[in-house]
Every structure is written in structure tokens, then in C-alpha cells.
Amino acid sequence: MSENQNTLSGGVSVHEIKSTIEHHLSGLLKNCDSKTAVGMAMQESVLGQGKRIRPLMMMLIAHDLGYPGEKKTLLDLACAVEMIHSASLILDDIPCMDNADMRRGKPTIHKKYGESVAILAAIGLLTKAFAQVSAVSGLNGEQKARVVGELANAVGEQGLVLGQFRDLAGVGHTQNINDITATNDLKTGVLFIAMLQVIALAASASDATHQRLSAFATDFGQLFQLLDDLSDSHFTTGKDRNKDAGKPTLVNVLGRERVCDLVYHHFHSANEHLAAVCVAGQETRQFIHAWLTLTLAGEKPAMKSA
């Protein structure tokens, strides 16, 4: 985001939040043995130049829900989610999966350290993330158990694992729109849903808020994946280009213009869900609007004010 988008109308500084997240991640990973390839791979995969969309959204939504607890609790949870996300990227990139050479403008972990180290680093990050959640302060035992359950289900065989399997199995096969949308939910949406349920648990939110946040995350996960698919042919993503060739993505099935329309649809639906629950502030809505406007600048004219 540009400098003039860093401070939201409520006085919340996205730049400061992101800097705090980066500092916290560094602290959590400093105990990784940097003398071993696995430790270096873990640090490099997490501490690279990521957008930090997930932890940023967790911090902003907690603010907008009026979260009354300690900031460190939120940071521990947000950084655990970022470690899970980084582990999934390492696994997505290895040769038997997407076989990617570049990630965030640099060689992928397996290209630099080897496939065996990449797999071990991913396992290390996953276990470190769950250990972090189990030790987090500010949550009681029941809350911790539910947080672990939410994240484990998002990663497991009914979440990211199934999404990646469906993505690989779909290569070279014709799929309908519903099948592709279901895969997108599993590849991307489930972790967004889980992380916002985690924040709702930490904030002791109502059942209605849990449901609204789940609906928001479903829409946001769809638009996030659609934007990723749109960017597949771009040089500016820091990833390999045209990796989706032969995959049944909505861009390949419907075309870019129709997918841009779907992005707008999911954005407006997500915006409505957020507006219904974020009574203490609207910083998350503003952040998403600014981020999406910037991301879509090369696809369509900047979005109209929501």
C-alpha cells in the first residue's frame, strides 16, 4: 500500500501494525537454529517480504470488534497463522506439487535448500505455530483448545490438504464452476475462516458475529484466490508466471473480465458482512478497499468508494 493509505481514518497505522508483526515474527523465530539448513529455511520462508495480509486482517478485525485483551495475545495468534501460511507455501512450491522456482521474488525454499529440507522446514513451522498457540497468554484452556481445533481443521484433510489435492487432481481435466469454487474455498478460504474464528474466540464474540465473520471470510477467500489467478501471467508478483496453464481456474474457464466482475461481487458481499459486526471501527473495511483498489489497478479502473 502507498504511504497515503497507511493511516486509516480511525488513526490506525497499517505500517506500524505490519512493523510490529514483523518484529514479533522475528522474535518468535530467533530460536530456530540458524546454523542448520532447516532453521535457516524456516526463518527465510517466514521473514521474507510477505504482504502479511492474514495477520494484518486479524489485528484490524480485533480492533474493529473492540477486543479488550492484551495486544501480545493477538500478535501471538496472528503470527502463528502466518507461520502456518508460510508452511503451506513451502509445500505448495515443491516439485511434486506446483514445482515453482520463485516465491516473493526469490528462489523457493526447495530450490535453495533442497526438497528434503523444505519439507522438514514446513513441518517445523506447523508444529511451532501450534506450540505457539498452546502457550499463548490471555486465553483460557477452553479457548486455546478451540483455537487449536479451528486451525488444525483448516490445515488438515478437510481443509488446505484437500484443497491442494483437488488442485493437483484437476490439472488437465474439465471442471464446472461449482467444482472450481469449492476448490478455491479449500485452498484459500478455510484459513481465512479459521483465523477470524480465532479472533472471534479471543474477543468472546457472539454466535452471530462468528457466523458473519465466517461468511465474510468465505467471500474474501474467493476474491483473494481470484486475484491470485488473475495475476498468474504478471511479471510483478514475484512468483513463476503462467503456472496455472492447464489448471481449471475460473480465469481459464470464464475469462478475465468475468472474473473481475466476480471479484467485485465478492468484495461487496464481504463488505456487507463486515459492516454488520465491526461496530467499534471500520479500519478493516478501509484496509481491504485500499488493498483491493491497488491490486485491481492493472485489471480494471480503481474501485468506486464502498
Side-chain angles (χ1 to χ4, degrees), residues 125-274:
L125 286 173
L126 284 173
T127 54
K128 192 171 185 65
F130 282 104
Q132 179 65 31
V133 169
S134 69
V136 69
S137 62
L139 299 182
N140 60 39
E142 181 181 354
Q143 287 174 311
K144 288 181 183 179
R146 292 182 65 184
V147 167
V148 168
E150 287 285 350
L151 295 176
N153 288 333
V155 174
E157 77 280 2
Q158 295 303 312
L160 294 177
V161 168
L162 181 57
Q164 180 67 0
F165 173 77
R166 286 175 60 112
D167 192 46
L168 293 171
V171 176
H173 293 82
T174 300
Q175 292 187 2
N176 62 39
I177 294 173
N178 290 336
D179 287 336
I180 299 170
T181 300
T183 298
N184 288 350
D185 279 335
L186 293 165
K187 285 173 56 180
T188 306
V190 289
L191 188 55
F192 281 116
I193 292 172
M195 75 188 204
L196 296 191
Q197 293 306 300
V198 165
I199 292 300
L201 284 167
S204 299
S206 67
D207 289 343
T209 296
H210 276 273
Q211 292 170 8
R212 280 284 194 173
L213 288 177
S214 181
F216 159 76
T218 299
D219 274 310
F220 187 79
Q222 284 292 329
L223 77 85
F224 194 92
Q225 185 59 51
L226 292 175
L227 289 172
D228 188 68
D229 293 344
L230 284 168
S231 72
D232 183 54
S233 62
H234 292 183
F235 283 106
T236 58
T237 61
K239 300 189 294 184
D240 296 3
R241 295 177 66 235
N242 299 317
K243 292 298 290 185
D244 290 340
K247 284 187 177 182
T249 68
L250 288 181
V251 173
N252 291 337
V253 172
L254 298 176
R256 302 180 73 83
E257 184 174 355
R258 176 63 180 133
V259 166
C260 282
D261 290 338
L262 285 175
V263 169
Y264 281 95
H265 165 76
H266 287 298
F267 167 77
H268 288 297
S269 180
N271 194 50
E272 289 178 4
H273 292 304
L274 272 188

Side-chain angles (χ1 to χ4, degrees), residues 3 7 21 34 40 44 59 64 66 72 84 89 93 96 108 132 162 193 200 223 253 259 281 291 295:
E3 287 299 320
T7 302
I21 291 167
S34 59
M40 289 188 291
E44 187 170 322
M59 300 295 289
D64 288 345
K72 183 180 182 300
I84 291 171
L89 297 182
D93 288 339
C96 65
T108 50
Q132 179 65 31
L162 181 57
I193 292 172
L223 77 85
V253 172
V259 166
W291 166 76
T295 305

Side-chain angles (χ1 to χ4, degrees), residues 42-53:
M42 290 171 64
Q43 291 175 336
E44 187 170 322
S45 66
V46 177
L47 302 179
Q49 296 300 310
K51 297 181 180 69
R52 310 300 185 208
I53 295 294

